[in-house]
Amino acid sequence: MGTKNQRVIIPGNGQYLGSRQQQQDSFGFSDISNASLIEKVGVMAVLADGMGGMANGREASTIAVHTMIEEYSKKLANESFSEAIIRAIHTANINVLNLSKDLSKKEQTGTTLTAVAVYEDSLYYVSVGDSHIYLFRNNKLICLNKDHVYAVHLAEEAAAGRMTLEEVITHPERKYLTSYLGIENLKEIDISTMPITVYEGDRVLLCSDGFYNSLEEEEIIDAMQYEPQYACDLLIEKIISKNLIHQDNATVAMILIE
Amino acid sequence: MPMKRCPSGHYYDSGKYTACPYCGVQSINLDNMETQAKPNNSSFPNLSANMKKCPNGHFYDSSKFSSCPSCWGSGKEAEVTQAKRKEAQMPQENDRDEGRTIGILHKNIGIDPVVGWLVCVEGNDKGRDYRIRSEKNFIGRSEKMDICISGDESILRENHAAVSYSPKKNSFKLHAGDGRGLVYLNGEEVDGSEELKPYDVIELGNTKLMFIPFCGEGFVWEQKIKE
């Protein structure tokens, strides 16, 4: 096993196709039973939501998840955790970009990406797009990352008096992504500036918008009393039981820190 | 519960699934399945009464999934079950992709012009206007809705009702939603759908919305804009 400071991580995950024809969400964990890997980089969980308006969204999200885990696992001794995460996400961006070039599709290929790494008592995160990272502690759910959606820019316009709030709320493009993997010049990245200290019993959830849009916060909190895999199963079943007409792909990846 | 990690980094209950339920066809490896079967000396120990084999040869828990999860989204199911899908009259792609994730670069592809408005005349959002665009506009409390009335808790989150504009007929309709929330048109309950006329009042939850058309006898967008 790893050093005594390393936390035991218990994973859980769940996925639902919804009313879509393709599952474009992808997720993955680094190997939580690989002691030497844990000693070096801890544990990483990644989730990506491929862009449905674009060709090959599924491939983009799969490549992004694999690249992220693989590149982060190669963390160099002289690299900080944040530096390794930044390097990994830029490599993932290049791989997604290359995918759209390889396919020489007219349509762009893209994906959101959220990733967390837990090393000893420190939690690091990174996000582009509108997938969410939640920290669950003391029965409260806190979203750690910011959404990269056009609504954020619209809200700034409203704050400057150039638009009304009504126009922001009803703007047809308010949910369009302003940052995602598959962009030539990836600038807008949300990353933990300082590692977050984690405690026993903390949980971290990564989820796609099809998951958080279909569940109330209390419903997620209610499920947290159960062990991670059962909690994920319950939440996905909850979404299925709602039988929403326009249910997007819904995916959740969870870790419990013990 | 024995949680197993597949090569793609997904964790799953290996007592329940012979292969990762989150992976596509590529994860099915017949050699692996054989090796798993050997220790118990019976051919497929993990196959309970609920295990079903799909036309592509995958096994899955039919009590949990209505169709094979390994085939979802892999594209493979299209070849095998295309005929069946036609029979079942699957919804059109446009219906199913509502609210999908779209990049901002696509926002310039064309505009979806306004064809009318709803104005809140009673309720917490009194004074606010909502744009109606061509074809169906779903009304609900959720931000995902085309017409999002966030200030009224008694309105269903999704699809409480819908207002549609038909570019072909140049006319508007109000449709009742599929949930338990009722919708009224000028005080009368709407069962299926009803034609909308200028200044009609739509009531849902504690909110009243007045309908103001932009398209109609006086004006119509040229068809090319929508196409």
Side-chain angles (χ1 to χ4, degrees), chain A residues 13 19-22 27-29 31-32 49 51-53 108 150 174 176-177 213 216 229 245-246, chain B residues 3 5 9-11 22 73 95-98 100-105 107 138 143 145 157 159 178:
Chain A
N13 42 222
S19 57
R20 297 296 154 78
Q21 285 171 325
Q22 241 206 357
F27 67 94
F29 296 86
D31 191 348
I32 58 164
D49 175 358
M51 281 151 89
Q108 275 219 322
Y150 196 48
R174 64 185 185 277
Y176 284 22
L177 299 184
N213 277 334
E216 304 285 348
Q229 187 52 48
I245 299 176
H246 298 309
Chain B
M3 292 292 279
R5 184 179 184 271
H10 309 139
Y11 280 89
Y22 304 105
D95 291 343
R96 299 163 63 104
D97 279 358
E98 175 73 30
R100 67 191 190 272
T101 313
I102 310 169
I104 195 165
L105 296 177
K107 79 190 174 80
F138 290 95
E143 220 208 58
M145 295 288 96
R157 270 173 62 81
N159 308 334
D178 45 8

Side-chain angles (χ1 to χ4, degrees), chain A residues 246, chain B residues 92 94-95 98 112-116 118 131-139 146-147 161-175 196 211 215 221 223 225-227:
Chain A
H246 298 309
Chain B
Q92 292 302 299
N94 285 348
D95 291 343
E98 175 73 30
D112 196 2
V114 66
V115 296
L118 294 177
R131 286 178 201 160
I132 304 170
R133 293 171 196 280
S134 199
E135 302 185 335
K136 272 198 178 176
N137 298 254
F138 290 95
I139 308 173
D146 304 297
I147 295 174
V163 168
S164 66
Y165 169 74
S166 159
K168 264 190 188 166
K169 294 186 174 169
N170 193 26
S171 65
F172 292 85
K173 272 185 176 177
L174 171 66
H175 309 265
L196 278 171
F211 165 64
C215 291
W221 291 108
Q223 200 61 29
I225 292 175
K226 184 61 198 157
E227 301 302 313

Side-chain angles (χ1 to χ4, degrees), chain B residues 207-225:
Chain B
T207 298
K208 282 186 180 171
L209 303 163
M210 190 172 279
F211 165 64
I212 312 289
F214 177 57
C215 291
E217 284 177 17
F219 180 83
V220 62
W221 291 108
E222 282 182 42
Q223 200 61 29
K224 65 176 182 189
I225 292 175

Side-chain angles (χ1 to χ4, degrees), chain A:
Chain A
M1 290 305 289
T3 64
K4 63 181 176 190
N5 292 331
Q6 288 298 351
R7 293 288 187 174
V8 174
I9 300 287
I10 300 172
N13 42 222
Q15 196 167 52
Y16 176 47
L17 179 69
S19 57
R20 297 296 154 78
Q21 285 171 325
Q22 241 206 357
Q23 179 56 265
Q24 300 198 323
D25 291 353
S26 298
F27 67 94
F29 296 86
S30 62
D31 191 348
I32 58 164
S33 58
N34 182 336
S36 62
L37 182 69
I38 291 173
E39 186 129 6
K40 192 176 138 200
V41 296
V43 168
M44 175 172 263
V46 188
L47 181 142
D49 175 358
M51 281 151 89
M54 302 178 172
N56 309 297
R58 181 187 170 91
E59 216 168 326
S61 64
T62 308
I63 285 179
V65 168
H66 285 198
T67 309
M68 196 68 205
I69 295 174
E70 204 179 300
E71 288 299 313
Y72 175 71
S73 302
K74 291 182 200 158
K75 178 185 164 310
L76 306 167
N78 62 354
E79 241 181 351
S80 72
F81 289 96
S82 296
E83 282 166 350
I85 288 168
I86 286 279
R87 179 177 49 74
I89 199 165
H90 279 292
T91 310
N93 185 47
I94 289 164
N95 287 354
V96 175
L97 261 173
N98 286 342
L99 170 73
S100 53
K101 281 175 187 160
D102 283 353
L103 298 161
S104 60
K105 294 276 178 197
K106 275 187 204 160
E107 272 195 301
Q108 275 219 322
T109 300
T111 179
T112 74
L113 184 128
T114 52
V116 292
V118 178
Y119 184 82
E120 296 184 345
D121 287 344
S122 295
L123 169 74
Y124 303 83
Y125 70 82
V126 68
S127 169
V128 287
D130 67 349
S131 299
H132 281 180
I133 304 167
Y134 292 99
L135 174 64
F136 177 77
R137 178 183 295 169
N138 296 335
N139 222 32
K140 286 194 177 64
L141 203 59
I142 310 152
C143 186
L144 299 178
N145 65 310
K146 290 189 283 276
D147 284 349
H148 297 134
V149 290
Y150 196 48
V152 175
H153 297 254
L154 293 172
E156 284 165 9
E157 290 293 294
R162 290 189 287 268
M163 270 182 110
T164 64
L165 277 176
E166 280 80 358
E167 283 173 319
V168 174
I169 293 165
T170 57
H171 199 286
E173 289 152 12
R174 64 185 185 277
K175 284 175 285 183
Y176 284 22
L177 299 184
T178 53
S179 185
Y180 51 86
L181 297 190
I183 310 187
E184 286 284 353
N185 191 3
L186 180 64
K187 275 196 241 164
E188 219 183 335
I189 300 174
D190 194 18
I191 184 158
S192 46
T193 43
M194 295 272 286
I196 295 166
T197 306
V198 288
Y199 302 95
E200 193 181 324
D202 280 359
R203 289 172 190 236
V204 184
L205 273 80
L206 307 179
C207 58
S208 58
D209 59 343
F211 181 85
Y212 67 73
N213 277 334
S214 301
L215 290 169
E216 304 285 348
E217 201 178 292
E218 306 85 73
E219 292 172 330
I220 301 177
I221 291 173
D222 275 353
M224 293 300 153
Q225 54 185 304
Y226 303 105
E227 57 96 15
Q229 187 52 48
Y230 187 63
C232 289
D233 287 344
L234 270 184
L235 288 169
I236 292 296
E237 273 161 29
K238 185 100 205 163
I239 294 175
I240 296 172
S241 72
K242 292 190 180 188
N243 209 10
L244 302 174
I245 299 176
H246 298 309
Q247 177 61 52
D248 195 358
N249 294 158
T251 304
V252 60
M254 189 188 296
I255 53 174
L256 165 64
I257 295 150
E258 284 203 327

Side-chain angles (χ1 to χ4, degrees), chain A residues 11-14 27 29 32 229 233, chain B residues 1-23 27-29 32-33 36 46 64-65:
Chain A
N13 42 222
F27 67 94
F29 296 86
I32 58 164
Q229 187 52 48
D233 287 344
Chain B
M1 187 172 61
M3 292 292 279
K4 193 174 165 181
R5 184 179 184 271
C6 82
S8 295
H10 309 139
Y11 280 89
Y12 65 98
D13 181 352
S14 58
K16 207 161 164 186
Y17 302 103
T18 51
C20 174
Y22 304 105
C23 283
S27 69
I28 304 289
N29 184 329
N32 279 351
M33 285 172 73
Q36 282 183 9
N46 289 330
K64 198 164 171 191
F65 301 103

